[in-house]
Amino acid sequence: MKLILLGAPGAGKGTQAEVICEKLNIPAVSTGNLIRAALKEGTELGLKAKSYMDSGNLVPDEVVIGIIKERLAQEDCRDGFILDGFPRTVPQAEALDAMGVEIDRVIDIEVKDEDIMKRLSGRRICENCAASYHVLYKPSEVEGKCSKCGGNLIIRKDDEPATIAARLEVYHEQTEPLKDYYSKKGILRIVEGQEEVADTSKLTLAALEA
Ligand code: AMP
């Protein structure tokens, strides 16, 4: 299965990617996580991406397309993958088509803007393994520590309130047109994001079969 998870920042793409990844045994590929890892390592790519990311803007298409090409060429992606946060623009979707990647399903997780605000302000991520938590909806077992690897949980710089509004605007302008792009191909399914993670997971897994 080759899947794409669409949705606003904070809609729960990363969380649902983790669920599907375990269920179907295919890797979750998050461009956001790949960029953050490059930033942590201090690579040239990371430095190039930093100002875009910190201000809530998208990293230029050619940079992200390069990252995804390299990642999808790896052995573990041979039998399928879940894309979380890619594509985010129509040119990125076209690049994926041009690479000959045939997507089976696109799941769009819909959450209202006002709920996104609440969700992002409570989000915490592990600085070590990038697992995602929420102080109310998906707390870690030990406060401040990742339940998977014990790493420290931190607030993403771009989850600050001023940046959240910018990211939502970018989402509506540049990423939302992808719904139409994939709807026309007949592979889009819409899932209403629920308050409980498990409820959204049920709907997401059902949408894979529909
Ligand atoms: P995410 O973790 O998916 O919310 O991504 C965090 C940030 O990384 C975004 O706000 C962008 O600055 C950058 N980013 C991640 N994926 C992409 C993409 N497909 N295209 C452009 N920028 C991206």
mmCIF file of all heavy atoms in Angstrom, residues 9 30-33 35-36 52-53 56-59 64 84-88 92 123 156 158 167, ligand 1:
data_model
loop_
_atom_site.group_PDB
_atom_site.id
_atom_site.type_symbol
_atom_site.label_atom_id
_atom_site.label_comp_id
_atom_site.label_asym_id
_atom_site.label_seq_id
_atom_site.Cartn_x
_atom_site.Cartn_y
_atom_site.Cartn_z
ATOM 1 N N PRO A 9 -1.820 21.120 9.620
ATOM 2 C CA PRO A 9 -0.864 20.800 10.677
ATOM 3 C C PRO A 9 -1.640 20.547 11.962
ATOM 4 O O PRO A 9 -2.574 21.297 12.274
ATOM 5 C CB PRO A 9 -0.012 22.073 10.784
ATOM 6 C CG PRO A 9 -0.758 23.142 10.069
ATOM 7 C CD PRO A 9 -1.607 22.461 9.052
ATOM 8 N N SER A 30 7.850 11.025 7.064
ATOM 9 C CA SER A 30 7.402 12.384 7.351
ATOM 10 C C SER A 30 8.487 13.361 6.899
ATOM 11 O O SER A 30 9.617 13.324 7.415
ATOM 12 C CB SER A 30 7.149 12.524 8.858
ATOM 13 O OG SER A 30 7.368 13.847 9.280
ATOM 14 N N THR A 31 8.154 14.214 5.930
ATOM 15 C CA THR A 31 9.162 15.184 5.477
ATOM 16 C C THR A 31 9.521 16.142 6.617
ATOM 17 O O THR A 31 10.671 16.528 6.750
ATOM 18 C CB THR A 31 8.677 15.969 4.236
ATOM 19 O OG1 THR A 31 7.296 16.261 4.377
ATOM 20 C CG2 THR A 31 8.911 15.208 2.964
ATOM 21 N N GLY A 32 8.535 16.491 7.455
ATOM 22 C CA GLY A 32 8.816 17.363 8.599
ATOM 23 C C GLY A 32 9.875 16.729 9.507
ATOM 24 O O GLY A 32 10.846 17.380 9.905
ATOM 25 N N ASN A 33 9.717 15.433 9.807
ATOM 26 C CA ASN A 33 10.695 14.753 10.663
ATOM 27 C C ASN A 33 12.063 14.664 9.977
ATOM 28 O O ASN A 33 13.100 14.814 10.634
ATOM 29 C CB ASN A 33 10.223 13.331 11.010
ATOM 30 C CG ASN A 33 9.124 13.333 12.066
ATOM 31 O OD1 ASN A 33 8.843 14.372 12.664
ATOM 32 N ND2 ASN A 33 8.482 12.189 12.276
ATOM 33 N N ILE A 35 13.286 16.756 7.811
ATOM 34 C CA ILE A 35 13.902 18.093 7.832
ATOM 35 C C ILE A 35 14.413 18.425 9.237
ATOM 36 O O ILE A 35 15.511 18.929 9.420
ATOM 37 C CB ILE A 35 12.908 19.177 7.341
ATOM 38 C CG1 ILE A 35 12.507 18.915 5.887
ATOM 39 C CG2 ILE A 35 13.516 20.569 7.467
ATOM 40 C CD1 ILE A 35 11.329 19.762 5.391
ATOM 41 N N ARG A 36 13.582 18.087 10.263
ATOM 42 C CA ARG A 36 14.017 18.375 11.642
ATOM 43 C C ARG A 36 15.279 17.589 11.996
ATOM 44 O O ARG A 36 16.167 18.089 12.684
ATOM 45 C CB ARG A 36 12.895 18.079 12.645
ATOM 46 C CG ARG A 36 11.885 19.219 12.771
ATOM 47 C CD ARG A 36 10.846 18.952 13.843
ATOM 48 N NE ARG A 36 9.923 17.904 13.450
ATOM 49 C CZ ARG A 36 8.851 18.093 12.681
ATOM 50 N NH1 ARG A 36 8.554 19.289 12.247
ATOM 51 N NH2 ARG A 36 8.073 17.085 12.344
ATOM 52 N N TYR A 52 12.516 28.930 6.768
ATOM 53 C CA TYR A 52 11.178 28.658 6.236
ATOM 54 C C TYR A 52 10.323 28.020 7.328
ATOM 55 O O TYR A 52 9.194 28.392 7.589
ATOM 56 C CB TYR A 52 11.232 27.702 5.044
ATOM 57 C CG TYR A 52 11.957 28.248 3.844
ATOM 58 C CD1 TYR A 52 13.267 27.882 3.576
ATOM 59 C CD2 TYR A 52 11.319 29.127 2.974
ATOM 60 C CE1 TYR A 52 13.933 28.378 2.464
ATOM 61 C CE2 TYR A 52 11.972 29.632 1.866
ATOM 62 C CZ TYR A 52 13.277 29.249 1.615
ATOM 63 O OH TYR A 52 13.920 29.737 0.521
ATOM 64 N N MET A 53 10.901 26.995 7.928
ATOM 65 C CA MET A 53 10.179 26.204 8.919
ATOM 66 C C MET A 53 9.792 27.055 10.137
ATOM 67 O O MET A 53 8.641 27.052 10.562
ATOM 68 C CB MET A 53 11.108 25.081 9.361
ATOM 69 C CG MET A 53 10.420 23.835 9.697
ATOM 70 S SD MET A 53 11.686 22.603 9.997
ATOM 71 C CE MET A 53 10.639 21.215 10.231
ATOM 72 N N GLY A 56 6.891 29.247 9.628
ATOM 73 C CA GLY A 56 5.625 28.597 9.273
ATOM 74 C C GLY A 56 5.406 28.477 7.776
ATOM 75 O O GLY A 56 4.324 28.109 7.328
ATOM 76 N N ASN A 57 6.444 28.789 6.995
ATOM 77 C CA ASN A 57 6.322 28.667 5.539
ATOM 78 C C ASN A 57 6.783 27.300 5.059
ATOM 79 O O ASN A 57 7.435 26.558 5.797
ATOM 80 C CB ASN A 57 7.164 29.752 4.861
ATOM 81 C CG ASN A 57 6.489 31.097 4.973
ATOM 82 O OD1 ASN A 57 5.324 31.244 4.587
ATOM 83 N ND2 ASN A 57 7.193 32.068 5.533
ATOM 84 N N LEU A 58 6.467 27.019 3.806
ATOM 85 C CA LEU A 58 6.907 25.753 3.238
ATOM 86 C C LEU A 58 8.347 25.889 2.737
ATOM 87 O O LEU A 58 8.737 26.932 2.222
ATOM 88 C CB LEU A 58 6.009 25.345 2.068
ATOM 89 C CG LEU A 58 4.551 25.031 2.414
ATOM 90 C CD1 LEU A 58 3.812 24.561 1.163
ATOM 91 C CD2 LEU A 58 4.455 23.971 3.508
ATOM 92 N N VAL A 59 9.081 24.819 2.881
ATOM 93 C CA VAL A 59 10.431 24.722 2.329
ATOM 94 C C VAL A 59 10.253 24.594 0.800
ATOM 95 O O VAL A 59 9.275 23.970 0.357
ATOM 96 C CB VAL A 59 11.118 23.476 2.954
ATOM 97 C CG1 VAL A 59 12.458 23.200 2.330
ATOM 98 C CG2 VAL A 59 11.245 23.665 4.469
ATOM 99 N N VAL A 64 12.379 19.711 -0.967
ATOM 100 C CA VAL A 64 11.585 18.633 -0.371
ATOM 101 C C VAL A 64 11.471 17.449 -1.347
ATOM 102 O O VAL A 64 11.512 16.287 -0.931
ATOM 103 C CB VAL A 64 10.174 19.139 0.003
ATOM 104 C CG1 VAL A 64 9.473 18.140 0.870
ATOM 105 C CG2 VAL A 64 10.254 20.451 0.705
ATOM 106 N N ASP A 84 3.508 11.298 5.252
ATOM 107 C CA ASP A 84 2.908 12.212 6.222
ATOM 108 C C ASP A 84 3.541 13.585 6.010
ATOM 109 O O ASP A 84 4.714 13.780 6.287
ATOM 110 C CB ASP A 84 3.180 11.650 7.628
ATOM 111 C CG ASP A 84 3.127 12.707 8.721
ATOM 112 O OD1 ASP A 84 2.604 13.806 8.491
ATOM 113 O OD2 ASP A 84 3.634 12.413 9.827
ATOM 114 N N GLY A 85 2.762 14.508 5.431
ATOM 115 C CA GLY A 85 3.293 15.857 5.215
ATOM 116 C C GLY A 85 3.896 16.056 3.835
ATOM 117 O O GLY A 85 4.512 17.086 3.574
ATOM 118 N N PHE A 86 3.748 15.110 2.983
ATOM 119 C CA PHE A 86 4.165 15.223 1.576
ATOM 120 C C PHE A 86 3.162 14.466 0.728
ATOM 121 O O PHE A 86 2.792 13.361 1.085
ATOM 122 C CB PHE A 86 5.569 14.622 1.375
ATOM 123 C CG PHE A 86 6.077 14.835 -0.043
ATOM 124 C CD1 PHE A 86 6.879 15.915 -0.355
ATOM 125 C CD2 PHE A 86 5.714 13.954 -1.064
ATOM 126 C CE1 PHE A 86 7.314 16.120 -1.664
ATOM 127 C CE2 PHE A 86 6.142 14.164 -2.369
ATOM 128 C CZ PHE A 86 6.941 15.250 -2.666
ATOM 129 N N PRO A 87 2.709 14.993 -0.404
ATOM 130 C CA PRO A 87 2.978 16.328 -0.931
ATOM 131 C C PRO A 87 2.188 17.407 -0.185
ATOM 132 O O PRO A 87 1.182 17.126 0.447
ATOM 133 C CB PRO A 87 2.498 16.215 -2.372
ATOM 134 C CG PRO A 87 1.438 15.166 -2.348
ATOM 135 C CD PRO A 87 1.838 14.202 -1.289
ATOM 136 N N ARG A 88 2.671 18.637 -0.285
ATOM 137 C CA ARG A 88 1.999 19.774 0.349
ATOM 138 C C ARG A 88 1.662 20.855 -0.663
ATOM 139 O O ARG A 88 1.081 21.872 -0.293
ATOM 140 C CB ARG A 88 2.931 20.369 1.403
ATOM 141 C CG ARG A 88 2.506 20.060 2.843
ATOM 142 C CD ARG A 88 3.529 20.737 3.722
ATOM 143 N NE ARG A 88 3.167 20.937 5.071
ATOM 144 C CZ ARG A 88 3.529 20.161 6.086
ATOM 145 N NH1 ARG A 88 4.175 19.057 5.871
ATOM 146 N NH2 ARG A 88 3.217 20.484 7.320
ATOM 147 N N GLN A 92 4.459 19.394 -5.946
ATOM 148 C CA GLN A 92 5.032 18.212 -5.266
ATOM 149 C C GLN A 92 4.272 16.948 -5.659
ATOM 150 O O GLN A 92 4.855 15.882 -5.858
ATOM 151 C CB GLN A 92 4.996 18.390 -3.745
ATOM 152 C CG GLN A 92 5.982 19.439 -3.235
ATOM 153 C CD GLN A 92 5.923 19.624 -1.731
ATOM 154 O OE1 GLN A 92 5.410 18.776 -1.003
ATOM 155 N NE2 GLN A 92 6.452 20.737 -1.253
ATOM 156 N N ARG A 123 0.639 20.155 21.821
ATOM 157 C CA ARG A 123 1.478 19.093 21.233
ATOM 158 C C ARG A 123 2.886 19.096 21.820
ATOM 159 O O ARG A 123 3.459 20.135 22.085
ATOM 160 C CB ARG A 123 1.565 19.307 19.719
ATOM 161 C CG ARG A 123 2.482 18.291 19.050
ATOM 162 C CD ARG A 123 2.134 18.093 17.635
ATOM 163 N NE ARG A 123 2.601 19.176 16.775
ATOM 164 C CZ ARG A 123 2.429 19.158 15.450
ATOM 165 N NH1 ARG A 123 1.813 18.146 14.866
ATOM 166 N NH2 ARG A 123 2.871 20.163 14.720
ATOM 167 N N ARG A 156 7.585 22.069 19.731
ATOM 168 C CA ARG A 156 8.184 22.482 18.464
ATOM 169 C C ARG A 156 8.162 23.999 18.350
ATOM 170 O O ARG A 156 7.177 24.624 18.706
ATOM 171 C CB ARG A 156 7.395 21.884 17.300
ATOM 172 C CG ARG A 156 7.861 20.519 16.915
ATOM 173 C CD ARG A 156 6.931 19.863 15.947
ATOM 174 N NE ARG A 156 6.647 20.668 14.760
ATOM 175 C CZ ARG A 156 5.984 20.190 13.700
ATOM 176 N NH1 ARG A 156 5.561 18.941 13.702
ATOM 177 N NH2 ARG A 156 5.758 20.945 12.659
ATOM 178 N N ASP A 158 7.786 25.784 15.809
ATOM 179 C CA ASP A 158 6.727 26.290 14.928
ATOM 180 C C ASP A 158 5.327 25.999 15.478
ATOM 181 O O ASP A 158 4.339 26.252 14.813
ATOM 182 C CB ASP A 158 6.883 25.770 13.490
ATOM 183 C CG ASP A 158 6.896 24.263 13.389
ATOM 184 O OD1 ASP A 158 6.996 23.582 14.433
ATOM 185 O OD2 ASP A 158 6.799 23.748 12.265
ATOM 186 N N ARG A 167 0.852 28.963 9.529
ATOM 187 C CA ARG A 167 0.862 27.610 8.950
ATOM 188 C C ARG A 167 -0.523 27.223 8.441
ATOM 189 O O ARG A 167 -0.654 26.548 7.426
ATOM 190 C CB ARG A 167 1.362 26.604 9.991
ATOM 191 C CG ARG A 167 2.861 26.765 10.231
ATOM 192 C CD ARG A 167 3.297 26.065 11.472
ATOM 193 N NE ARG A 167 3.203 24.628 11.355
ATOM 194 C CZ ARG A 167 3.060 23.815 12.388
ATOM 195 N NH1 ARG A 167 2.972 24.293 13.601
ATOM 196 N NH2 ARG A 167 3.009 22.524 12.198
HETATM 197 P P1 AMP B 1 5.332 19.029 9.658
HETATM 198 O O1 AMP B 1 6.154 18.341 10.672
HETATM 199 O O2 AMP B 1 4.815 18.109 8.602
HETATM 200 O O3 AMP B 1 4.265 19.908 10.257
HETATM 201 O O4 AMP B 1 6.323 20.022 8.887
HETATM 202 C C1 AMP B 1 6.977 21.083 9.569
HETATM 203 C C2 AMP B 1 7.536 22.098 8.579
HETATM 204 O O5 AMP B 1 8.471 21.461 7.696
HETATM 205 C C3 AMP B 1 6.511 22.718 7.642
HETATM 206 O O6 AMP B 1 5.819 23.812 8.224
HETATM 207 C C4 AMP B 1 7.412 23.159 6.482
HETATM 208 O O7 AMP B 1 8.163 24.305 6.802
HETATM 209 C C5 AMP B 1 8.371 21.974 6.386
HETATM 210 N N1 AMP B 1 7.824 20.907 5.499
HETATM 211 C C6 AMP B 1 7.488 19.638 5.834
HETATM 212 N N2 AMP B 1 7.020 18.950 4.771
HETATM 213 C C7 AMP B 1 7.064 19.823 3.731
HETATM 214 C C8 AMP B 1 6.697 19.743 2.375
HETATM 215 N N3 AMP B 1 6.179 18.612 1.849
HETATM 216 N N4 AMP B 1 6.869 20.842 1.594
HETATM 217 C C9 AMP B 1 7.384 21.985 2.091
HETATM 218 N N5 AMP B 1 7.746 22.146 3.367
HETATM 219 C C10 AMP B 1 7.588 21.078 4.198
#
